[in-house]
């Protein structure tokens, strides 16, 4: 989605507002695409004393799979974006300022980039998720491990000797 801010580039005090729903359902994190629902992007670009400042609130509910116990769960996602925009850059290597292309920029690309950078590298259903037992496969959040109860015959034999 291309947002045109040409009209306010030379108008201090001017602003362009936006309220969009973006589709990031193809954004893949290790085989999981958590953004199954529309991503709401609400914000504005304002000309503040000649500088163009973009602010946006990004919200959605992600559909996640826990890295430890494989449980599926929903997680609210919120992100506040703030970027400066400019029609020309004095320093081409400045990544903090987004260069406008003929007075416009790709809003969805900017938000997509920020969305990917702000995804958690670890997805846990809860901070202290105990995960699955590698031995018996029990979900240790809801059931006890069954491993210890299965006595190893070698230990039983050893106990008899003692
Ligand atoms: Zn979990
Ligand atoms: Zn176990």
């Amino acid at each position: 989605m291309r947002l045109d801010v040409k009209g306010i580039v030379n108008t201090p005090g001017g602003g362009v507002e936006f309220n969009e729903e973006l589709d990031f359902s193809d954004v893949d994190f290790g085989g999981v695409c958590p953004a199954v629902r529309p991503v709401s992007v609400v914000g504005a670009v304002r000309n503040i004393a000649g500088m163009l400042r973009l602010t946006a609130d990004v919200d959605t509910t992600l559909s996640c799979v826990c890295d430890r116990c494989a449980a599926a769960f929903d997680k609210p996602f919120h992100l506040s974006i703030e970027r400066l925009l400019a029609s020309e850059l004095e320093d081409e290597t400045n990544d903090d300022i987004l260069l406008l292309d003929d007075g416009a920029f790709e809003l969805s690309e900017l938000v997509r980039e920020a969305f990917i950078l702000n995804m958690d590298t670890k997805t846990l259903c809860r901070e202290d998720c105990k995960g699955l037992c590698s031995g018996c496969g029990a979900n240790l959040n809801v059931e006890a491990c069954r491993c210890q109860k299965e006595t190893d015959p070698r230990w039983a034999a050893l106990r008899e000797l003692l």
Side-chain angles (χ1 to χ4, degrees):
M1 188 247 159
R2 203 170 149 83
L3 191 73
D4 197 323
V5 294
K6 215 177 291 164
I8 62 159
V9 168
N10 296 313
T11 315
V16 174
E17 292 182 358
F18 51 84
N19 186 341
E20 297 291 325
E21 287 211 328
L22 302 177
D23 176 14
F24 293 163
S25 59
D26 60 326
V27 178
D28 185 310
F29 292 94
V32 180
C33 297
V36 293
R37 299 173 183 85
V39 177
S40 142
V41 182
V42 180
V45 177
R46 299 197 187 284
N47 185 325
I48 299 163
M51 287 292 286
L52 291 181
R53 182 166 165 267
L54 170 141
T55 51
D57 282 309
V58 181
D59 284 281
T60 190
T61 300
L62 300 175
S63 181
C64 300
V65 175
C66 179
D67 288 339
R68 275 188 207 152
C69 72
F73 64 101
D74 286 342
K75 187 167 78 170
F77 176 93
H78 174 79
L79 173 66
S80 293
I81 301 178
E82 203 182 314
R83 282 292 287 273
L84 291 175
L85 316 175
S87 323
E88 48 194 36
L89 291 182
E90 285 170 23
D91 178 3
E92 294 279 333
T93 60
N94 191 338
D95 288 338
D96 295 339
I97 299 175
L98 183 77
L99 186 62
L100 296 173
D101 169 31
D102 191 26
F105 68 100
E106 288 294 334
L107 179 66
S108 50
E109 284 308 307
L110 183 145
V111 177
R112 177 181 287 257
E113 206 175 278
F115 176 76
I116 292 171
L117 285 173
N118 282 275
M119 279 300 288
D120 295 330
T121 47
K122 244 190 183 322
T123 308
L124 296 179
C125 62
R126 58 191 220 202
E127 256 330 282
D128 62 344
C129 172
K130 297 190 187 81
L132 304 179
C133 172
S134 55
C136 64
N139 182 338
L140 302 176
N141 295 315
V142 293
E143 54 188 331
C145 165
R146 292 180 292 267
C147 293
Q148 287 97 329
K149 285 170 193 154
E150 292 160 19
T151 342
D152 188 315
R154 284 167 296 178
W155 284 113
L158 190 66
R159 221 172 281 140
E160 269 168 41
L161 287 173
L162 294 169

